[in-house]
Amino acid sequence: MRTQTKLNAADLRHFEKLLRHQRHDLDIALGRIGTTLDDVIEARNSGTADDEHDPEGPTLTMEWSRISGVHSDLEATSTTIDQALARIADGSYGLCTRRGEPIGRERLEARPAAALCIDCARELEAQRRA
């Protein structure tokens, strides 16, 4: 059973705190992965690494691709959190951006940056799979 209630000021402060904490953790992770990405790029560009002939591990190109993908995912999550914080600021947080209906509190607790109610999220996921 979903709870479809309007969020009060205390709820908004709670979710803002959760989102800011997640954003802080993401900033740390982005800093670390950015440094790692810079190191791999530098190694690829130095011309001294002979990683293509190392049978023991991944090539620098493979490592760059993997780290680059993780970095992109973290940036996308960071953007989603920023959008949720903006919705708190403009008073639209907790409302589905597709239908305007309240997002269940359980969903917001599980995914504080959620922009869609569970029904819309399921519909869009089903469309992607089709």
Side-chain angles (χ1 to χ4, degrees):
M1 181 167 122
R2 276 176 278 160
T3 307
Q4 299 278 332
T5 59
K6 185 170 167 105
L7 300 173
N8 61 35
D11 293 331
L12 292 173
R13 284 190 303 274
H14 166 73
F15 288 114
E16 182 176 10
K17 183 178 177 181
L18 286 176
L19 288 162
R20 291 199 183 280
H21 181 73
Q22 286 180 351
R23 183 68 164 92
H24 174 75
D25 290 348
L26 273 171
D27 287 343
I28 292 170
L30 276 165
R32 288 180 182 152
I33 199 94
T35 299
T36 303
L37 187 57
D38 290 344
D39 292 345
V40 171
I41 290 169
E42 184 179 324
R44 282 182 68 203
N45 292 335
S46 73
T48 59
D50 185 20
D51 70 318
E52 299 298 327
H53 298 96
D54 180 5
E56 297 295 319
T59 66
L60 288 174
T61 300
M62 288 173 49
E63 197 62 11
W64 172 82
S65 180
R66 183 189 66 79
I67 294 169
S68 183
V70 170
H71 188 267
S72 293
D73 289 347
L74 291 173
E75 283 184 330
T77 301
S78 182
T79 298
T80 300
I81 290 172
D82 289 345
Q83 291 167 343
L85 289 168
R87 288 193 305 277
I88 288 175
D90 73 15
S92 64
Y93 181 81
L95 298 175
C96 178
T97 58
R98 190 170 178 218
R99 291 187 183 152
E101 298 174 5
I103 299 171
R105 183 174 178 95
E106 297 85 5
R107 177 160 172 76
L108 291 173
E109 287 290 347
R111 294 181 175 266
L116 300 173
C117 66
I118 192 67
D119 293 334
C120 286
R122 286 178 178 154
E123 285 175 21
L124 290 177
E125 184 61 29
Q127 289 173 6
R128 280 189 211 119
R129 290 183 184 172

